[in-house]
Amino acid sequence: MAKAQARSDKPLVLETTCLTKLFGGLTAVNEFDLSVHKGEILSLIGPNGAGKTTVFNVVTGIYTPEKGAVIFRGIPITGKKPHQIVTSGIARTFQNIRLFPDMTCLENIMAGQHCRSRAGVITSIFRFAAQRKEEKRIQEQAEFRLRQVNLSRAHGELAKNIPYGSQRMLEIARALASEPTLVVLDEPSSGLNTRETRDLMTFLQTLIAQEDITILLIEHDMNVVMGISDWVVVMDEGRKIAEGIPEDIYQNQRVIEAYLGKDDDEEY
Amino acid sequence: MELRQQNNQRRLLDFGHPQIVLIVSAFILYPFFVSDYLIDIAFFFGIYALLGLSLNIVLGEVGLFDLGHAGFYAIGAYTTAILNTRYGVPILVLLPVSAIAAGLFAYLVCSPIIHLQGDYLLIVTLGMGEIVRLALINNPFDLTGGPNGVFGIDFPSLGTWFVIDSSIKYYFLIWIVVALSIVGLTRLQQSRIGRAWNYIREDEIAAKASGVDVRSFKLLAFILGAGLAGVAGNIYASKLMCVSPESFTFWESCLMFCIVLIGGMGSIPGVIIGAAFISLFPEIFRPFAMYRMLVFGSAMILMMMFRPGGVWPRKRGAVSFTSLLSTNGREHG
């Protein structure tokens, strides 16, 4: 209870109110409320098809909700375009890695800095001093992020040629390169082995400790969820069915039912 | 610091590579040793190089299928022809005007269709190119002269002391424009704009999610590509002294498409090679004109089978990382 109290003292970073998203007749997200506080790692969990990724896509502007609002740092961002949302400070990764396969790792990360730079056609053609300075800053930021995920050695490799685990980290680094306030990670540990998952957890914890950043993640790996989350929100069939600190969620009857129900289906 | 300066210089002018100096000198010396006929062939090689470079922005860099590029080329050529013959505007003044006219046309036509993907965009641009050609044939407002086109276009000139009136001067005009375009486009490739275009080509959703304004950058590519095609149209119109709709058929768009595909999408040297192939090939095989298409078709098929990435695909990485690593001070010794 004390933990929950301490949490609500911190300022809100992201808030969704009454968020509803329909796909034809299917209600993917149903009046979903979420509040993410500054400096925390919030995990969104739930069985497959619960609507977690849809929430992410609404928050990052890929979908427009039918109802409800997304408020980021006090400003409503509902209906804004994805690139405007990135510029305002929300960066994301995808469940199935989306890199720029035929470009180098460095160029991939530089994408994050795109929204933080201004150079236009004329400035770029004539290479004015401002453009050169900006370009240098982009490279420095990209290099910093590459080092942060231990990939500086692979800077010149094409993104499609590096191992799967590195691709995941590269995508996270690309998101971080946009200097976000909130990072939205869609199943960052999927496809990683035990060691890589452990490294990822340490990485995220160090990140939270060192930088002024908030993390919202979807996760299926319960070790990750219980290990690093400050707060857990459970979704089922588009609704929030529970939220709380990891220990409480672990014992919550409705959560167990939601998950076990699914398990039963699987064990014919 | 000095080292980095040098690196930069080298990259800007590319004089660090002896082969480039060699190629440039060959281009400068070439017209002094050959007949006017061969100079004219090289002139049309230059026109195709410029058209290839312009389509390369749209097709090569951003990966948008544009099969109506001849439409923009036509807008440039007709802008020059009409303004010159009717109002006596000098050709060199019309060079930027044609570029702007073609760019503006691209903006107007492409903004409603820019969200289309892949082959859908291909079909719409194909239709756009054909509509431009048909409109020119129908002689709207008595401007375009119908199927006969517009005659009597001036030579490019500055006063009376500098007139571009011979094959050799036209040769230098087009190749200087091509050279400047290459420098400009190479710099764009290495800037945030070129990278944004490539992000869109590689993965549009990821580009969006990384903060690239996909729609604007696609439009920008179309506008720049059309503008450059407009420049080609201007030079072409004044060289031939007349323009007619049959110079801007679907076949021209096809040729430009082939130039980019043969050379390698997004590769500037590749585009020049592709243009050489397209413009010199018919000349070399003139005696076998009957079989030209046969050979051309087989060449394309073989290309797609054995070098799907083009003759000279763009190499990644080597360029963009040099300045970053020079902080260690051991590169480029």
Side-chain angles (χ1 to χ4, degrees):
Chain A
M1 224 56 262
K3 253 186 170 174
Q5 186 58 45
R7 176 176 184 263
S8 59
D9 287 345
K10 287 184 185 160
L12 272 176
V13 172
L14 182 84
E15 200 183 358
T16 70
T17 48
C18 217
L19 208 62
T20 303
K21 175 72 200 169
L22 309 170
F23 290 116
L26 181 83
T27 314
V29 178
N30 196 354
E31 304 195 334
F32 183 72
D33 297 322
L34 175 75
S35 44
V36 185
H37 293 262
K38 194 171 176 349
E40 71 181 358
I41 298 183
L42 188 146
S43 296
L44 188 57
I45 64 169
N48 287 336
K52 306 179 298 285
T53 301
T54 311
V55 169
F56 272 30
N57 283 338
V58 171
V59 166
T60 53
I62 305 229
Y63 299 147
T64 347
E66 265 70 36
K67 217 174 88 188
V70 182
I71 297 151
F72 178 58
R73 292 199 287 179
I75 304 158
I77 53 166
T78 332
K80 284 205 175 167
K81 300 220 175 74
H83 69 92
Q84 292 169 320
I85 289 176
V86 179
T87 316
S88 73
I90 304 181
R92 74 167 291 171
T93 65
F94 292 89
Q95 191 171 348
N96 34 1
I97 307 175
R98 295 195 96 114
L99 290 167
F100 308 116
D102 276 314
M103 297 175 83
T104 64
C105 292
L106 185 79
E107 285 174 313
N108 266 276
I109 297 194
M110 285 164 119
Q113 275 284 306
H114 179 87
C115 62
R116 301 280 171 249
S117 48
R118 290 278 76 85
V121 176
I122 307 285
T123 348
S124 301
I125 288 179
F126 291 100
R127 291 229 168 114
F128 291 138
Q131 192 260 353
R132 289 204 303 274
K133 217 173 118 191
E134 191 179 86
E135 204 59 19
K136 195 164 159 265
R137 205 201 62 220
I138 295 174
Q139 289 208 347
E140 278 167 0
Q141 172 73 11
E143 194 191 14
F144 167 66
R145 294 301 177 184
L146 260 180
R147 245 191 237 129
Q148 205 174 20
V149 294
N150 281 326
L151 281 174
S152 44
R153 213 175 275 255
H155 62 78
E157 300 276 340
L158 297 186
K160 64 178 179 191
N161 294 339
I162 63 172
Y164 188 85
S166 307
Q167 291 188 357
R168 277 247 171 250
M169 293 315 282
L170 185 65
E171 203 193 13
I172 295 174
R174 181 179 71 193
L176 292 175
S178 69
E179 303 169 38
T181 322
L182 174 70
V183 190
V184 181
L185 306 174
D186 197 345
E187 288 194 40
S189 78
S190 83
L192 300 187
N193 63 32
T194 340
R195 216 197 71 212
E196 287 168 330
T197 307
R198 215 168 46 232
D199 289 348
L200 175 78
M201 285 164 67
T202 345
F203 174 77
L204 293 179
Q205 277 167 329
T206 340
L207 192 72
I208 281 282
Q210 284 175 352
E211 290 180 42
D212 190 13
I213 233 168
T214 308
I215 298 174
L216 169 59
L217 71 151
I218 292 179
E219 193 48 75
H220 274 309
D221 186 333
M222 279 305 142
N223 290 324
V224 177
V225 174
M226 296 304 154
I228 65 170
S229 320
D230 298 306
W231 197 254
V232 180
V233 173
V234 192
M235 266 186 105
D236 192 23
E237 292 174 356
R239 287 174 180 280
K240 178 160 77 181
I241 57 166
E243 70 177 313
I245 56 167
E247 291 80 5
D248 292 349
I249 291 299
Y250 209 55
Q251 287 151 6
N252 186 302
Q253 201 52 45
R254 283 191 72 184
V255 178
I256 294 168
E257 271 167 23
Y259 270 93
L260 287 185
K262 186 180 151 279
D263 280 352
D264 274 341
D265 289 345
E266 274 176 1
E267 292 170 359
Y268 303 114
Chain B
M1 197 62 227
E2 205 181 337
L3 184 82
R4 175 172 296 187
Q5 207 66 27
Q6 239 175 13
N7 275 344
N8 251 349
Q9 204 71 12
R10 192 180 283 184
R11 271 198 293 139
L12 300 190
L13 297 170
D14 258 338
F15 279 143
H17 307 289
Q19 61 270 41
I20 288 182
V21 179
L22 212 69
I23 290 168
V24 171
S25 348
F27 267 99
I28 293 173
L29 293 175
Y30 169 82
F32 297 107
F33 292 98
V34 296
S35 65
D36 268 8
Y37 170 68
L38 287 176
I39 296 176
D40 276 348
I41 290 175
F43 170 84
F44 284 104
F45 170 21
I47 287 278
Y48 278 112
L50 197 56
L51 288 172
L53 287 173
S54 75
L55 182 64
N56 184 47
I57 303 175
V58 182
L59 173 65
E61 300 291 349
V62 199
L64 297 172
F65 291 155
D66 171 12
L67 252 183
H69 217 64
F72 305 130
Y73 180 33
I75 298 284
Y78 269 84
T79 306
T80 300
I82 293 167
L83 290 181
N84 180 260
T85 53
R86 298 218 166 198
Y87 306 104
V89 186
I91 297 293
L92 286 179
V93 174
L94 287 171
L95 193 82
V97 174
S98 307
I100 292 166
L104 191 68
F105 178 75
Y107 174 74
L108 292 176
V109 172
C110 295
S111 18
I113 60 168
I114 203 76
H115 61 278
L116 295 176
Q117 303 279 335
D119 17 7
Y120 296 97
L121 186 70
L122 185 104
I123 299 295
V124 177
T125 50
L126 189 157
M128 184 271 298
E130 282 301 281
I131 288 168
V132 169
R133 188 177 64 87
L134 292 174
L136 294 174
I137 292 176
N138 285 324
N139 198 7
F141 311 112
D142 233 1
L143 277 175
T144 65
N148 297 326
V150 182
F151 300 86
I153 302 161
D154 283 341
F155 293 123
S157 61
L158 286 173
T160 47
W161 51 275
F162 177 74
V163 185
I164 296 173
D165 55 359
S166 62
S167 289
I168 192 162
K169 287 178 183 167
Y170 268 108
Y171 169 87
F172 280 112
L173 174 68
I174 185 73
W175 280 101
I176 287 170
V177 172
V178 171
L180 290 177
S181 308
I182 291 176
V183 173
L185 291 173
T186 314
R187 287 174 168 199
L188 271 186
Q189 269 190 344
Q190 293 165 9
S191 74
R192 72 186 273 271
I193 294 173
R195 285 195 303 270
W197 284 339
N198 293 348
Y199 297 146
I200 297 171
R201 183 189 64 200
E202 296 286 310
D203 189 329
E204 199 174 317
I205 292 175
K208 257 185 209 164
S210 306
V212 177
D213 183 355
V214 170
R215 189 189 147 80
S216 308
F217 274 88
K218 279 183 173 179
L219 263 181
L220 177 70
F222 259 110
I223 292 168
L224 288 182
L228 209 53
V231 169
N234 168 286
I235 298 172
Y236 176 83
S238 78
K239 165 77 180 177
L240 288 195
M241 298 196 292
C242 67
V243 288
S244 64
E246 71 204 51
S247 311
F248 309 104
T249 52
F250 171 62
W251 180 240
E252 289 295 308
S253 300
C254 269
L255 284 183
M256 293 179 217
F257 213 86
C258 292
I259 290 173
V260 179
L261 289 186
I262 290 172
M265 304 246 282
S267 154
I268 289 173
V271 167
I272 305 297
I273 292 170
F277 184 77
I278 292 292
S279 55
L280 305 182
F281 183 84
E283 298 303 328
I284 296 165
F285 289 91
R286 197 162 280 283
F288 315 102
M290 266 173 73
Y291 307 107
R292 195 191 282 170
M293 283 303 125
L294 186 69
V295 179
F296 184 67
S298 341
M300 284 300 282
I301 293 169
L302 290 175
M303 269 278 316
M304 288 300 142
M305 283 170 70
F306 296 108
R307 279 200 80 98
V311 178
W312 188 318
R314 180 171 171 198
K315 283 190 184 63
R316 288 244 160 230
V319 188
S320 53
F321 220 71
T322 40
S323 73
L324 194 81
L325 281 188
S326 64
T327 43
N328 312 340
R330 49 187 176 78
E331 266 72 26
H332 296 279

